[in-house]
């Protein structure tokens, strides 16, 4: 993903086109890998690319003050990540309810961290956030939205698509819109067109490792009106394999644009040490790695929310300018 153009340096249009075409290729590769090895593609992407993405994105966001208006706003977002992680690791009525309330409230409060300037405005956003959090505890659709979809498919697919759309509109780029078309088509291909080879059978290890995402799969298939069968479950895993693999590859493909790698050497060494420790833990025990990295995973989702709101605002502004130019 890439930051809105008003908060990053201008880039050569030729370079933008090159990156867009590279990303189209990465989408195709992700679809193919997820089609032939759906479980393994998802698990490898999540364990190998995921931790490096969390660490480098949080580092990049840190150097940009997390795109918030307050110096300490990020603490609330990290606190929400901790609560959400506890709700996932030790699920019960109290921890799950608290996670739903916190994620719902902070989803709204993140907008206030970007747009609210006056004390009255901040209080208004706080009240709205608390109300949304309370509703999320009692109303299942909102609870599912914040606890199941926000940290997973909303983050890795919807918000990634938002960045692609903003980049295409900002640059008036044909290659950018072409990449958006491929990106939008990908889930339909994974769910309804692609066919995993008939002889494919996920291992017991793979089935066990994806266990934490089973409920997300059931909910997703139910929302799509699809029955729970072997074929539809493979379709869901193809979708997950594509969405996660491309989400991570998209981030790394834009290194020269967002420069997440330009950090102090000590921090780079720390990122490397944590990353290779995570790899070792996943290799030793996938579930142990999943639990150990849970807070870090939630943290990168929550800390990105202000950037998502800034991107929405940037997209709205670019759309208004584009429409105004057409009228002239």
């Amino acid at each position: 993903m890439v930051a809105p153009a008003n908060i990053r340096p201008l880039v050569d249009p030729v370079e933008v086109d090159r990156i867009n075409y590279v990303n189209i290729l990465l989408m195709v590769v992700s679809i193919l890998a997820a089609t032939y090895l759906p479980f393994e593609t998802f698990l490898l992407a999540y364990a190998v690319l995921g931790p490096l993405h969390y660490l480098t994105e949080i580092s990049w966001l840190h150097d940009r003050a997390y795109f918030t208006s307050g110096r300490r706003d990020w603490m609330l977002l990290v606190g929400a990540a901790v609560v959400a992680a506890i709700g996932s690791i030790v699920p019960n009525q109290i921890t799950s309810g608290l996670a739903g309330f916190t994620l719902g409230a902070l989803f709204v409060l993140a907008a206030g961290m970007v747009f609210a300037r006056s004390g009255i405005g901040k209080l208004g956003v706080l009240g709205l956030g608390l109300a949304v959090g309370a509703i999320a505890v009692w109303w299942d659709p909102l609870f599912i939205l914040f606890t199941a979809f926000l940290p997973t498919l909303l983050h890795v697919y919807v918000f990634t698509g938002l960045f692609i759309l903003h980049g295409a509109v900002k640059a008036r780029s044909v290659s950018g819109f072409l990449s958006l078309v491929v990106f939008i088509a990908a889930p339909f291909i994974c769910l309804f067109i692609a066919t995993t080879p008939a002889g494919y059978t996920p291992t017991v290890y793979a089935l066990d490792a994806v266990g934490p995402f089973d409920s997300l799969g059931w909910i997703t298939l139910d929302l799509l009106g699809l029955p729970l069968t072997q074929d539809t479950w493979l379709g869901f895993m193809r979708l997950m394999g594509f969405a996660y693999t491309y989400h991570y590859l998209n981030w790394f493909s834009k290194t020269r644009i967002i420069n997440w790698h330009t950090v102090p050497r000590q921090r780079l060494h720390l990122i490397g040490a944590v990353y290779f420790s995570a790899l070792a833990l996943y290799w030793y025990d996938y579930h142990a790695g999943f639990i150990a990295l849970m807070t870090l995973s939630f943290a990168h989702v929550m800390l990105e929310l202000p950037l998502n709101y800034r991107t929405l605002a940037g997209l709205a502004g670019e759309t208004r300018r584009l429409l105004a130019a057409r009228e002239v």
Side-chain angles (χ1 to χ4, degrees):
M1 65 197 67
V2 58
N6 63 326
I7 48 177
R8 64 170 170 81
L10 294 176
V11 181
D12 181 359
V14 175
E15 177 70 7
V16 171
D17 282 337
R18 185 192 70 81
I19 292 174
N20 285 334
Y21 288 122
V22 166
N23 272 272
I24 291 173
L25 177 62
L26 293 176
M27 292 179 205
V28 173
V29 169
S30 299
I31 292 172
L32 290 174
T35 295
Y36 285 93
L37 295 169
F39 282 78
E40 291 78 4
T41 297
F42 169 70
L43 291 173
L44 281 173
Y46 195 88
V48 177
L49 298 178
L52 187 58
H53 171 62
Y54 311 153
L55 293 164
T56 54
E57 185 181 24
I58 291 173
S59 169
W60 181 79
L61 291 169
H62 174 77
D63 288 339
R64 289 150 184 83
Y66 302 100
F67 299 102
T68 63
S69 58
R71 290 176 54 192
R72 296 181 177 84
D73 288 345
W74 65 271
M75 294 181 181
L76 289 174
L77 297 170
V78 171
V82 172
V83 172
I86 293 172
S88 295
I89 296 171
V90 190
N92 56 53
Q93 188 173 2
I94 295 175
T95 59
S96 296
L98 190 57
F101 172 80
T102 304
L103 289 175
L106 265 295
F107 183 79
V108 176
L109 290 179
M113 295 175 185
V114 174
F115 302 118
R117 293 292 185 267
S118 67
I120 294 177
K122 290 180 181 293
L123 284 175
V125 174
L126 175 61
L128 179 60
L130 293 176
V132 170
I135 295 171
V137 174
W138 302 107
W139 192 38
D140 285 345
L142 210 55
F143 179 82
I144 291 170
L145 175 67
F146 290 128
T147 60
F149 286 107
L150 175 61
T152 56
L153 289 175
L154 273 179
H155 176 76
V156 300
Y157 184 77
V158 175
F159 290 153
T160 300
L162 174 65
F163 286 110
I164 295 173
L165 175 59
H166 179 267
V169 173
K170 177 69 177 179
R172 313 292 195 268
S173 168
V174 173
S175 63
F177 284 109
L178 180 59
S179 70
L180 181 64
V181 170
V182 177
F183 184 76
I184 293 174
F188 296 94
I189 294 172
C190 291
L191 286 167
F192 304 112
I193 299 176
T195 303
T196 299
Y200 172 79
T201 302
T203 64
V204 174
Y205 177 88
L207 289 170
D208 181 62
V210 301
F213 297 91
D214 283 352
S215 60
L216 176 65
W218 302 331
I219 294 169
T220 301
L221 293 177
D222 183 60
L223 286 174
L224 294 173
L226 298 174
L228 180 58
T229 66
Q230 181 177 354
D231 288 340
T232 59
W233 194 256
L234 284 175
F236 169 72
M237 288 310 304
R238 288 194 295 266
L239 171 62
M240 293 287 281
F242 160 77
Y244 276 82
T245 301
Y246 176 68
H247 174 73
Y248 300 141
L249 293 178
N250 172 261
W251 167 259
F252 296 120
S253 74
K254 292 183 170 66
T255 299
R256 291 177 59 181
I257 291 183
I258 58 180
N259 295 313
W260 57 259
H261 62 300
T262 56
V263 297
R265 181 167 298 185
Q266 286 185 332
R267 192 193 305 172
L268 196 62
H269 290 165
L270 177 61
I271 289 173
V274 175
Y275 174 62
F276 285 109
S277 297
L279 286 182
L281 189 56
Y282 268 112
W283 178 82
Y284 174 73
D285 187 308
Y286 201 97
H287 277 296
F290 178 80
I291 292 172
L293 274 291
M294 180 69 72
T295 299
L296 189 63
S297 175
F298 272 109
H300 100 280
V301 172
M302 298 304 295
L303 288 169
E304 189 190 287
L305 283 177
L307 174 59
N308 295 332
Y309 282 115
R310 284 186 179 268
T311 305
L312 276 171
L315 178 60
E318 288 300 328
T319 302
R320 285 194 300 268
R321 283 188 283 273
L322 184 61
L323 293 175
R326 286 181 176 273
E327 291 177 359
V328 174

